[in-house]
Amino acid sequence: MKCSTAINLMISGVLVCMSTAIHAQTDDNSTSSRIEPAILETANALIDTALKSNLGYEIVESLTTEVGPRLAGSEAEKRARDWAEKLGDSLSFDRVSVEEFTMPFWDRGHLHISLTQPYKQALYGTALGGSAPSTEDLEAPVVYFRTVHDIQNINDGELNGKIAFIDGEPMVKSQTGAGYGPSNQKRRIGWQHAQRGGASALVIRSVGSDSHRFPHTGMMSSDNNNWATIPVIAISNPDADHLRRLHELNKTMHLSLHSGSDWQGDVTSGNVVFDLVGRDKPDEIVLIGGHLDSWDLGTGAVDDGAGVAITTAAAELIARLPHRPRRTIRVVLFGAEEVGLLGARAYAAQHAAELNNHVLATESDFGAEKIWRLRSNVNPDANAVIDGIGRQIERLGIVRGDAKSPGGGPDIIPLAAAGVPTVRLDQNGTDYFDLHHTPDDTLDKISPEALAQNVAAYAALVYIAAESEAEFRLPKATEDKE
Amino acid sequence: MKCSTAINLMISGVLVCMSTAIHAQTDDNSTSSRIEPAILETANALIDTALKSNLGYEIVESLTTEVGPRLAGSEAEKRARDWAEKLGDSLSFDRVSVEEFTMPFWDRGHLHISLTQPYKQALYGTALGGSAPSTEDLEAPVVYFRTVHDIQNINDGELNGKIAFIDGEPMVKSQTGAGYGPSNQKRRIGWQHAQRGGASALVIRSVGSDSHRFPHTGMMSSDNNNWATIPVIAISNPDADHLRRLHELNKTMHLSLHSGSDWQGDVTSGNVVFDLVGRDKPDEIVLIGGHLDSWDLGTGAVDDGAGVAITTAAAELIARLPHRPRRTIRVVLFGAEEVGLLGARAYAAQHAAELNNHVLATESDFGAEKIWRLRSNVNPDANAVIDGIGRQIERLGIVRGDAKSPGGGPDIIPLAAAGVPTVRLDQNGTDYFDLHHTPDDTLDKISPEALAQNVAAYAALVYIAAESEAEFRLPKATEDKE
């Protein structure tokens, strides 16, 4: 046994690590001195208000109903920005702005895919983001790969005239979503090997934890900014099971497919920014947000209408307090997240000069189930304040996670990379990848009660962070003090 | 208070109905004398064998994998008959035959349907069986009807140039499937009113209890053998919710659709019949079965690959006993059930001369969840035997339902109408209408354990019915003795 800190005692020959207890006591003392009781009282009242409010649900209902699917760069995403501008104006924000940027537009077009040998059967598939069209109606025999690792061993040209199919293992379900990364490899890089092998197309098992007949779309990774020149299609898990069973029966399989997906040149996208200007330190920004774009198959309720709704509603509830918090609260509804964090990168570039004034940032982009954990990555001197926030939202069923979790959400990555401190309120992701990037991501999947819990947690977190004097930013050059 | 039978007592001025208790006691006495202990012992052993056997699952896995979807009248349904013939030959049946019949073929063709106003959004829809093609790409404003009752009040011609949309209430979920009938009215007769009103097409909320983006297909009712001359499309429940919300926001909605579904003339279908010839009374037939056809969207695992598998496996386990039961056990795998019980009607017509020798009939066509109830409609003198069967399968979690339930399953209707006695082993249908007639009816939805429970119950029931001397048939002319 070994203690990770210096403080320990030998009692009757047994090593007793005291760090936790002593540390907790320190927290209690320091936090009570750091978060003023009045702030905690207001945060508590915000939680009560949020739990009774339907505002979050109304926002996501409006977005999904009045705008619908919002593919990055499409006219639908433009309508979403118009919707967001109108929403911001109708709420209590002090500034509403649209910050445009240019991006390459990939459009799905029409797809059909079917099994043609050993018999004809329609498959439920969808093109992956960044994939190329088929030049003609394609019909070819299938070469089966059990996993993405297997296709990495092929020789160049070995798949000429064939369609590669990468199966895979069932995705592990968990509240952290830990199964996504490993499962996603076939979506990310599978095409590079299929194309190198000369395949006419690549078909993969969807990256998803459900067993429904929905394909999961999503972006592939580019190969040094080169995209696939072949169609790359994800089929539903039951369809992949079907091909696996036929393969195990040694049946020769042929697929026919036609994909119209392609890059369409540069278009305009944008981020929509809502500000509640701080009464005391208007230049210091607590940034929260979600992303406004969605994949085009569903209506983007869970991914990420929920994040838009949660963070906007939390800020609005704070805006209805008698006065603005000390710091500015900024809600950023990012554009073009799904296709490579393009809005997030544009935001970081356009706001490069003021990133040092971003004192804390977080995004809600992991669905709409209840939040179960608070993690952070801030100046260690301010951990006690985050711990205090954790105690404040404990009654919402939220536990305090570790204080060394870089992140804050996908669109926060460019900010975190520039040194902006982050926190994260983790939604329970157990079922998130059942819906993720499928046609089934629709409003009916959101529980108003769970959404209200999210709004309550965000409202308390953001209010305390903006109202307190805590310095979350890391001192330059001594980022890892301990 | 009133007793429904003659046996009652006045005790201290309170009427006490004695029928239940006395009847139960009578059952105990009579049954033990009616089902020989050796028969019960064998039935018990069959249950044990079935619970350990994977045969049912292997059959439905083979059907769904090696044949796939099996639309009535299609070449796929022909391949299913070939598959069934081969299966029957490979198992222990004494006779395997295919009994063909002629039927009109309706084919789905290609469909696209999308919202075009207030914005463009793809909808997830499917044509209903018997619906007509659109003559051209159709785009028209939507007239919203809250329920099927509302559209019945329109005037002729009132819907000229419009697309009618019938919404509806959420389908009630229950283990009996009681919500299906009321919910199904819009699918059955909605088109007659839309067409009378002059609508260019009818769109309905799917008849299904799920909230997934799957449309539920199914046959419409003809109007005195006249079928719709307009396209009739079911959209998924989330899509219907979406249209409802837009309607409630007073948005003008337009839909665009193209349907290629149409009648294609007469084709050949058929029933496949497996017989275990009775050792003592070969002419007396205990008939069980399922239907071989499926809708074309899924692979017909639950509807009704499961029924094919359960009844075939149950008969096969009986066939593996040292000798045949006294009576013939016949497994009928009906063709063309989904499109109007065409195989069942053909069977009844082709076997009209021997229907009086059908001593008992039942079908499994309500999915693959565990059986929870046994109902019957046989000669009351034989109720005690059915009760005895009920006690035998009680350990499978099955309760005895009432003894006056006409039915036996959809394909048994023509037989029951001709006076054939029936029993029914009711599967728990709580989730059945989540999958029913959708693309999501695939093998992964079947639990091997639940399927084995079904096989066990069927094996015990069918074995006892075929081995016992019980007379289930009603005496002619005194069908309702009591």
Side-chain angles (χ1 to χ4, degrees), chain B residues 370-381:
Chain B
K370 285 189 179 171
I371 293 165
W372 69 279
R373 183 173 64 171
L374 166 67
R375 287 181 295 160
S376 63
N377 188 45
V378 305
N379 187 326
D381 291 345

Side-chain angles (χ1 to χ4, degrees), chain A residues 42 46 92 276 288 311-325 329 458-464 466-467:
Chain A
T42 303
L46 277 168
S92 313
L276 289 185
I288 58 176
T311 54
T312 302
E316 171 65 15
L317 295 184
I318 294 168
R320 292 178 188 172
L321 294 173
H323 48 69
R324 295 285 181 260
I329 293 172
Y458 268 89
L461 163 73
V462 172
Y463 174 74
I464 297 172
E467 185 64 32

Side-chain angles (χ1 to χ4, degrees), chain A residues 196-245:
Chain A
R196 180 174 60 74
S200 310
L202 169 66
V203 175
I204 68 163
R205 173 187 287 272
S206 278
V207 178
S209 52
D210 60 305
S211 196
H212 289 302
R213 210 95 181 269
F214 295 118
H216 296 241
T217 190
M219 209 66 189
M220 306 187 296
S221 294
S222 75
D223 185 7
N224 291 315
N225 289 318
N226 294 313
W227 293 96
T229 58
I230 57 172
V232 186
I233 313 296
I235 58 172
S236 80
N237 277 313
D239 283 288
D241 294 341
H242 198 88
L243 298 192
R244 180 189 291 193
R245 287 193 298 269

Side-chain angles (χ1 to χ4, degrees), chain B residues 327-361:
Chain B
R327 288 161 167 157
T328 289
I329 293 172
R330 173 169 293 176
V331 181
V332 183
L333 308 183
F334 294 95
E337 187 271 350
E338 295 291 3
V339 296
L341 314 180
L342 303 187
R345 293 183 215 282
Y347 180 90
Q350 289 167 1
H351 294 264
E354 54 169 347
L355 288 192
N356 195 43
N357 286 339
H358 284 59
V359 300
L360 195 64

Side-chain angles (χ1 to χ4, degrees), chain A residues 57 61 63-69 75 79 110 118-122 124 211-214 238 241-242 245-246 249 251 296-299 435 438-445, chain B residues 57 61 63-69 75 79 110 118-122 124 211-214 238 241-242 245-246 249 251 296-299 435 438-445:
Chain A
Y57 191 81
E61 178 173 10
L63 175 60
T64 54
T65 304
E66 297 183 51
V67 181
E75 68 76 36
R79 284 190 290 106
H110 176 76
Y119 51 79
K120 196 162 167 48
Q121 178 181 321
Y124 287 77
S211 196
H212 289 302
R213 210 95 181 269
F214 295 118
D241 294 341
H242 198 88
R245 287 193 298 269
L246 286 170
L249 290 169
K251 302 283 185 189
D296 50 330
L297 302 176
T299 58
L435 297 170
T438 71
D440 212 23
D441 179 0
T442 49
L443 181 64
D444 50 296
K445 309 309 182 304
Chain B
Y57 191 81
E61 179 174 9
L63 175 60
T64 54
T65 304
E66 297 182 52
V67 181
E75 68 76 36
R79 283 190 290 107
H110 177 75
Y119 51 79
K120 196 162 167 49
Q121 178 181 322
Y124 287 77
S211 196
H212 288 301
R213 210 98 183 266
F214 296 117
D241 294 342
H242 198 87
R245 287 193 299 269
L246 286 170
L249 291 170
K251 302 284 185 190
D296 49 330
L297 302 176
T299 58
L435 297 171
T438 72
D440 212 23
D441 180 0
T442 48
L443 181 64
D444 49 297
K445 308 310 181 304

